[in-house]
Amino acid sequence: MNWIKTARGIHGEIVSCRTEDRLQLHGLWAGGGDTVLIHNHGTASAYGIESFEPQLQRWAGENGWGFLTCNSRGAHVLEDWQNSGAAVELFSDSPKDLKAWLGWASKTGAKRVILSGHSLGTEKIAHFLRGHEAPSIVGAILL
């Protein structure tokens, strides 16, 4: 069992997707109905690290929703193997990450998406919503 599933109080399957510029992103997925809550972390954080993620997952489950907490290109300080991380992240590239995760969620059968973000993740969501059409997004939670 992966440490993140037990040490942080969240559970699910470790999943990944690729952005249009070929970055590999990882997340933790707990399936549910056709609505999915997708959580985006803050600067240099990563999925499973934020202390309130177990509550988000529990809330999503109580509502019959899937839950995905996922990394962006700003995960960790530096991931040298693919030149990503907060040290080298360009904010203008952040929509590529959300587009990749929205595509991934769509492949799981998600018809409705609620985006959740913490810290810099909130700004990435606001930036994405301002400039991109995504009919599946029905709400946003900015923490």
Side-chain angles (χ1 to χ4, degrees):
M1 191 173 251
N2 188 291
W3 71 272
I4 202 109
K5 294 180 188 178
T6 57
R8 299 288 182 187
I10 60 175
H11 60 278
E13 174 188 358
I14 296 174
V15 296
S16 64
C17 71
R18 284 214 182 262
T19 63
E20 62 191 56
D21 57 349
R22 307 292 300 146
L23 287 183
Q24 183 176 7
L25 305 176
H26 301 282
L28 190 76
W29 166 245
D34 61 2
T35 300
V36 176
L37 175 63
I38 298 178
H39 178 68
N40 193 11
H41 60 77
T43 305
S45 190
Y47 76 85
I49 292 190
E50 294 172 328
S51 63
F52 50 81
E53 286 174 307
Q55 289 82 8
L56 282 176
Q57 184 179 36
R58 189 169 29 259
W59 183 61
E62 289 168 359
N63 284 285
W65 305 338
F67 176 71
L68 172 67
T69 178
C70 54
N71 284 354
S72 68
R73 67 188 57 236
H76 311 289
V77 175
L78 180 65
E79 289 189 334
D80 195 36
W81 65 277
Q82 67 175 1
N83 196 33
S84 68
V88 296
E89 176 181 29
L90 295 176
F91 184 81
S92 59
D93 286 337
S94 64
K96 295 173 185 174
D97 304 342
L98 284 172
K99 284 198 304 192
W101 284 117
L102 287 168
W104 184 92
S106 176
K107 290 177 185 172
T108 70
K111 305 231 182 312
R112 290 176 300 282
V113 173
I114 300 164
L115 295 176
S116 167
H118 174 251
S119 189
L120 184 60
T122 65
E123 296 167 21
K124 290 177 178 181
I125 289 170
H127 177 64
F128 181 85
L129 292 174
R130 183 171 177 245
H132 296 84
E133 185 75 24
S136 63
I137 298 173
V138 297
I141 301 167
L142 308 177
L143 303 169

